[in-house]
Amino acid sequence: MIALLRGVVVGAGANWCVLDVAGVGYRIQMTGNTTAGLRIGEETLLHTTLVVREDSMTLFGFTSEGERDAFELVQSASGVGPKLALAIVSVLTPTQLVQAVQGNDQAVLTKVPGIGKKGAEKIIIELRDRVAGLDVGPGTDPAAGRTAEPSAWRDHVSQGLQSLGWSAKDAETACEKVAELAEADPGISLGKLMKAALQSLARS
């Protein structure tokens, strides 16, 4: 399994990047928070996991081992595939996931688009005895130093939210709610804006 990649970012979208590793370009799926912190031409390190299907092999990348392990763990619950797993780790940190499962907190899990009450209950039951092994230490935020460009942040945040399952309307509403943050601090990072948008949707 490909567990770690270090290379230069040669392309990026709302929820993917292409990483040049010694002349080989790897296309990697990731959360909007992670892509928000990437810069074309700069080197980055990603913790990765390879999901193999009959008709595809897809790499997923994360900023910390804890996020990657959480992504892999939630897929062991019935009904949770890679897309939903990516949405879960986009909305919940490993620590929040552990607390929700161990605390039988269905409300927290249902904040993730695609998870209803029954799905949350199933995840709690099936993962309760396994989440304790997750590394819940703080991870690095690759978006921390990337400034949100005034004309570009809205499209990036909106596309990232939609790729995680929210509707275009919900994404636009979330962008409106965080617009004042971008106006108040022109130097704010895209990662912080994405997190604020996710939090606004989770509260609604």
Side-chain angles (χ1 to χ4, degrees):
M1 183 181 77
I2 302 173
L4 185 73
L5 286 173
R6 183 192 297 274
V8 176
V9 180
V10 296
N15 63 344
W16 61 270
C17 82
V18 175
L19 202 63
D20 183 337
V21 182
V24 179
Y26 293 88
R27 185 181 174 97
I28 306 170
Q29 299 293 311
M30 55 189 62
T31 68
N33 284 340
T34 301
T35 56
L38 302 179
R39 287 183 182 272
I40 303 297
E42 290 190 357
E43 185 177 84
T44 191
L45 182 147
L46 295 170
H47 298 272
T48 60
T49 184
L50 181 64
V51 175
V52 179
R53 295 288 185 265
E54 286 187 9
D55 58 348
S56 67
M57 291 190 296
T58 308
L59 266 174
F60 292 85
F62 306 90
T63 59
S64 70
E65 290 182 86
E67 285 184 336
R68 181 193 62 198
D69 294 345
F71 173 79
E72 293 176 342
L73 177 64
V74 294
Q75 287 181 79
S76 65
S78 56
V80 179
K83 182 177 180 180
L84 183 55
L86 198 63
I88 291 173
V89 298
S90 296
V91 176
L92 304 176
T93 65
T95 298
Q96 291 170 330
L97 176 63
V98 171
Q99 292 174 342
V101 172
Q102 293 182 334
N104 194 30
D105 195 340
Q106 296 180 19
V108 169
L109 291 173
T110 55
K111 292 176 181 178
V112 179
I115 297 181
K117 185 177 180 180
K118 290 184 178 180
E121 182 179 5
K122 187 179 299 183
I123 289 173
I124 289 172
I125 292 173
E126 296 184 16
L127 300 185
R128 182 178 290 125
D129 296 331
R130 286 179 275 174
V131 294
L134 279 179
D135 176 12
V136 296
T140 58
D141 181 3
R146 184 180 178 188
T147 300
E149 298 178 14
S151 61
W153 73 264
R154 187 181 292 268
D155 285 344
H156 191 106
V157 171
S158 178
Q159 290 172 16
L161 293 173
Q162 290 179 62
S163 72
L164 295 173
W166 275 283
S167 67
K169 183 179 179 180
D170 286 340
E172 180 59 29
T173 299
C175 286
E176 288 297 328
K177 289 184 178 179
V178 301
E180 61 182 31
L181 295 178
E183 293 172 1
D185 180 8
I188 193 171
S189 70
L190 284 169
K192 288 183 178 179
L193 288 173
M194 176 65 79
K195 289 178 181 178
L198 286 167
Q199 290 170 355
S200 72
L201 287 167
R203 289 193 296 266
S204 60

